[in-house]
Amino acid sequence: MLENEKIKNIRTQLGLTQQEMADCIGVSKQYLSKVEKGHTDLSKEKIVKLCSNYNVSLDWLLLDKGEIFLSDPDDEFSGEVLAKEVEDVFKFDVAVKLYSLFVNEAFYMIKKQYPQAQVDNIVEAARQLFDVDSSFYESIDKFQMDLNEFKNKGRKYILFKERILIAYNRVCKDKEFENKLNEQKRC
């Protein structure tokens, strides 16, 4: 079930009108209608408000884990912990988008330089480079800034091209070395 469908499901299970839920989480009825139709998303603050006001499991809403409603609101997360978990989910989402851009750009650059390149080697090179780069991302703002910069192919783009080609060559050499070791073991 998609997030927008889940939000509508919550509202209907609680027997609320769109206006009642909208008022409770601080949006207009029209905005909530757009959310339920999948035309827009709720902000992380509104998701936290929805979950804490209606005792909804954040894990269920965002990750499809567990039950829709928490058993006892006092036994579960405080608003601060819930907000932190929502931020972590959004941070992960931005990181996945950035990784996707890494892979797409790596594929384009490596295939241009090495037309016979294997996809698994390209993905591994992108993963290794992303692991190195992402260790410096300390906040969602930095992720978002780098995602936008990467999309706009700013000053780091040329450096990325050099680094991804080096990473690809390293992956190929590592796999070549591994294959030689496996051949020696067979003999």
Side-chain angles (χ1 to χ4, degrees), residues 6 18 23 34 56 59-60 80 92 107 128 133 163 174 176:
K6 290 179 179 182
Q18 282 185 335
D23 290 343
K34 287 180 183 180
V56 172
D59 285 342
W60 176 81
E80 290 176 14
F92 178 75
F107 191 84
Q128 286 181 10
D133 285 356
R163 292 172 61 222
D174 289 348
E176 186 178 310

Side-chain angles (χ1 to χ4, degrees), residues 98-108 110 119-134 150 160 163-171:
L98 185 57
Y99 178 69
S100 176
L101 286 172
F102 262 67
V103 172
N104 287 338
E105 291 301 316
F107 191 84
Y108 170 77
I110 293 171
V119 173
D120 60 333
N121 290 347
I122 295 171
V123 171
E124 178 62 18
R127 186 198 59 77
Q128 286 181 10
L129 187 58
F130 182 78
D131 285 349
V132 169
D133 285 356
S134 68
F150 198 88
F160 174 80
R163 292 172 61 222
I164 195 63
L165 291 174
I166 290 168
Y168 173 75
N169 285 319
R170 186 175 48 245
V171 166

Side-chain angles (χ1 to χ4, degrees), residues 27-101:
V27 297
S28 70
K29 178 185 173 194
Q30 293 79 12
Y31 188 81
L32 183 60
S33 175
K34 287 180 183 180
V35 168
E36 287 185 358
K37 291 177 182 174
H39 298 295
T40 192
D41 295 321
L42 283 179
S43 68
K44 65 182 177 182
E45 293 82 14
K46 300 303 179 191
I47 288 174
V48 168
K49 204 169 196 179
L50 180 127
C51 288
S52 59
N53 288 349
Y54 296 114
N55 200 28
V56 172
S57 166
L58 179 65
D59 285 342
W60 176 81
L61 183 60
L62 299 178
L63 304 173
D64 289 326
K65 292 182 182 178
E67 299 296 318
I68 183 171
F69 295 106
L70 300 173
S71 56
D72 183 0
D74 295 332
D75 291 343
E76 296 296 333
F77 304 111
S78 70
E80 290 176 14
V81 173
L82 191 59
K84 172 76 172 99
E85 287 197 357
V86 170
E87 183 172 325
D88 288 346
V89 169
F90 282 97
K91 184 176 180 179
F92 178 75
D93 180 57
V94 174
V96 168
K97 288 177 184 172
L98 185 57
Y99 178 69
S100 176
L101 286 172

